[in-house]
Amino acid sequence: HLQLSNIQLTDNQLTGSIPSEVGLLSYLRELYLENNQLTGSIPSEVGLLSDLISLVLSNNQLTGSIPTEVGLLSHLNYLYLSNNQLTRSIPSKMGLLSGLSQLELSNNQLTGSIPTEVGLLSGLSFLQLSNNQLTGSIPSK
């Protein structure tokens, strides 16, 4: 049984998609795949990574929506998905990430409003949502 806790494949020329089997890495705490040429969507199976603290997928060519299953990552501190081609809205379930301190979603094609639940993330110290197509009002909380 593989007890891999940290994957760092930053700054390569990796192509293809993130395999759904990543969800089988139950001990994984850190997944760094930024600055590659990864395509396809973020697999919903990332929601199975219950010990994950850092999910860093910035600077790729990822498409599709942010999976709602990301809201299941109760230990997540850092979520970096900037500089991709992610679409649709920010999932309201992200409001369940009570330990989240940094959320970086800039330079995508996200639409809709900023979920009010994001305003409830009391530990959030860094929020970057620039260069998307977000509409509506800024959550008051």
Side-chain angles (χ1 to χ4, degrees), residues 16 47 52 65 67 74 94 101 116 120 125 134:
L52 202 65
S65 58
S74 58
M94 293 186 65
S101 64
T116 54
L120 303 175
S125 62
L134 298 170

Side-chain angles (χ1 to χ4, degrees), residues 25-124:
L25 301 172
S26 56
Y27 291 93
L28 199 63
R29 294 174 58 81
E30 297 182 327
L31 180 58
Y32 290 88
L33 300 176
E34 79 267 29
N35 300 322
N36 282 289
Q37 294 156 32
L38 297 171
T39 56
S41 58
I42 301 168
S44 59
E45 289 83 358
V46 297
L48 299 172
L49 301 173
S50 57
D51 289 338
L52 202 65
I53 292 170
S54 300
L55 180 58
V56 182
L57 306 177
S58 299
N59 301 311
N60 282 288
Q61 286 126 43
L62 297 171
T63 55
S65 58
I66 300 169
T68 57
E69 291 83 357
V70 167
L72 300 172
L73 301 174
S74 58
H75 294 101
L76 200 64
N77 290 331
Y78 305 102
L79 180 58
Y80 284 77
L81 304 177
S82 60
N83 297 304
N84 282 290
Q85 289 138 38
L86 298 172
T87 55
R88 304 183 80 180
S89 58
I90 299 169
S92 59
K93 295 223 178 207
M94 293 186 65
L96 299 173
L97 301 174
S98 57
L100 198 65
S101 64
Q102 297 188 18
L103 177 59
E104 170 44 298
L105 303 177
S106 62
N107 298 307
N108 280 290
Q109 295 153 30
L110 298 171
T111 57
S113 58
I114 302 167
T116 54
E117 292 85 351
V118 170
L120 303 175
L121 295 172
S122 59
L124 202 61

